[in-house]
Amino acid sequence: KLKADKDAVTAFRASIRKLADIYCNDAFGTAHRAHSSMLGEGFDVKCSGGLMSKELDAFAKVLDSPAKPVLAILGGAKVSDKIQLIMNMLNKVDKIIIGGGMAYTFLKV
């Protein structure tokens, strides 16, 4: 795995800060990533955008008052990143389907 040079990362983040006064994340699908362009590091004001708001509202609707039965489909490679999510969903869903790279880990257990 290639690691970015610390000075280059600092310079890149500084260049992003010059583009705006406010950091607004509207990319739900990448919000969990710790990439420089997703962190909003150095911005005093951070917010989520309209699309992010809609995604969070949809999740709240499904998780807080779901129409039964509820099926969760989870994917991804790292089980360690998803364990807490799986644990939190056990009481809220009727079934969970695990796919992607995570499925191999569960098949080996």
Side-chain angles (χ1 to χ4, degrees):
K1 189 173 183 180
L2 183 63
K3 285 267 187 184
D5 175 76
K6 188 176 181 180
D7 292 335
V9 170
T10 301
F12 176 68
R13 290 178 178 174
S15 72
I16 291 174
R17 283 192 302 272
K18 292 178 186 175
L19 299 174
D21 297 320
I22 297 170
Y23 174 77
C24 182
N25 186 346
D26 207 20
F28 181 82
T30 60
H32 67 286
R33 296 195 175 136
H35 298 177
S36 292
S37 59
M38 301 303 303
L39 292 174
E41 185 176 298
F43 287 93
D44 292 330
V45 178
K46 299 177 189 180
C47 67
S48 60
L51 290 174
M52 179 80 77
S53 235
K54 285 181 182 179
E55 292 278 2
L56 294 173
D57 289 345
F59 267 118
K61 182 179 176 183
V62 169
L63 294 175
D64 295 339
S65 55
K68 295 285 187 172
V70 175
L71 168 67
I73 302 172
L74 302 176
K78 296 183 194 171
V79 175
S80 60
D81 291 349
K82 311 292 185 310
I83 293 294
Q84 189 61 53
L85 172 64
I86 293 168
M87 297 301 290
N88 289 342
M89 294 183 88
L90 288 176
N91 299 9
K92 298 176 188 261
V93 301
D94 299 295
K95 297 201 185 264
I96 297 177
I97 294 175
I98 296 177
M102 273 199 312
Y104 292 107
T105 303
F106 284 95
L107 288 173
K108 287 206 166 237
V109 175

